[in-house]
Amino acid sequence: MPTTKSVSRDIQWDIQEFLYREASALDERRFRDWLGYLSDDIRYEVPVRVTREALAEWELSPTSRIFDDDRETLEVRVRRLETDFAWAEQPPSRTRHYVTNILVDHTEVPDEYLVSSNCFIYRSRGDDPNPSLYSMFRKDTVRRTEDGWRLARRWAAFDQALINAHNLSIFI
């Protein structure tokens, strides 16, 4: 078993609540509020999963990304959703983020924590009776600042190699 330095229950609870509130902002389409949960130096990365032979060295592409965003590109994505030109979101997606199995560990940087979690996203659109279901593993870096907790890095890996959607215009 790897050795980790456990965090206090107060920090564990605060970070869990932070992640739940962040997910709630996404599910309620409060994207401006969601941006407030992000640090200025946010890195938001989702590698492409590939299906390879059994003994392959990797299942996640070392170079290809579904998302590879920083603060500026995330703000552009939010601004676009606020216009009539976000055709991929007409009608808007309805999402529900289920964040579970949250484990919080110290990092070498004071007031930064490595947070591992599982996330399941239910997405429906319009009158389509077939929702999209996404299961993934996330590794976040969460930072305590003077203004509260901020997400400094999100790295997420989908469990499936083929995404069952016409587009992926939601936030993970």
Side-chain angles (χ1 to χ4, degrees):
M1 174 185 274
T3 59
T4 57
K5 186 176 174 193
S6 62
V7 299
S8 71
R9 288 191 174 148
D10 288 342
I11 289 173
Q12 173 82 25
W13 175 256
D14 288 350
I15 290 174
Q16 281 182 207
E17 183 174 352
F18 169 78
L19 292 176
Y20 296 154
R21 290 185 184 282
E22 181 228 352
S24 179
L26 291 174
D27 293 341
E28 294 170 6
R29 299 184 53 81
R30 294 183 290 111
F31 300 124
R32 286 276 156 202
D33 291 346
W34 178 71
L35 287 172
Y37 288 99
L38 310 181
S39 68
D40 289 340
D41 62 342
I42 180 76
R43 177 85 189 274
Y44 183 90
E45 185 179 13
V46 180
V48 173
R49 180 173 294 281
V50 294
T51 303
R52 301 183 46 165
E53 51 281 347
L55 299 177
E57 289 184 33
W58 48 268
E59 290 183 41
L60 298 170
S61 172
T63 56
S64 298
R65 300 288 180 261
I66 297 170
F67 296 116
D68 192 358
D69 295 328
D70 60 12
R71 177 74 186 211
E72 184 178 348
T73 56
L74 291 169
E75 287 178 2
V76 167
R77 288 178 60 194
V78 167
R79 278 196 308 271
R80 182 171 168 80
L81 288 171
E82 295 171 339
T83 71
D84 293 333
F85 298 104
W87 298 307
E89 281 299 303
Q90 297 299 327
S93 294
R94 292 179 295 272
T95 62
R96 189 71 55 218
H97 289 69
Y98 298 91
V99 182
T100 67
N101 299 54
I102 299 169
L103 299 173
V104 180
D105 292 307
H106 286 278
T107 67
E108 309 251 335
V109 179
D111 289 327
E112 280 194 0
Y113 300 89
L114 179 62
V115 183
S116 301
S117 65
N118 295 331
C119 183
F120 182 80
I121 303 172
Y122 174 95
R123 176 190 188 197
S124 65
R125 297 187 66 223
D127 295 330
D128 188 343
N130 302 309
S132 296
L133 307 174
Y134 311 109
S135 174
M136 68 201 63
F137 173 72
R138 298 192 318 194
K139 286 185 185 178
D140 294 334
T141 300
V142 176
R143 180 183 301 145
R144 186 187 347 230
T145 71
E146 292 176 2
D147 299 320
W149 295 100
R150 295 294 180 266
L151 182 63
R153 181 159 200 256
R154 167 144 302 149
W155 180 95
F158 282 95
D159 291 327
Q160 63 262 46
L162 295 174
I163 308 297
N164 63 337
H166 296 292
N167 64 56
L168 198 56
S169 56
I170 62 170
F171 294 102
I172 306 303

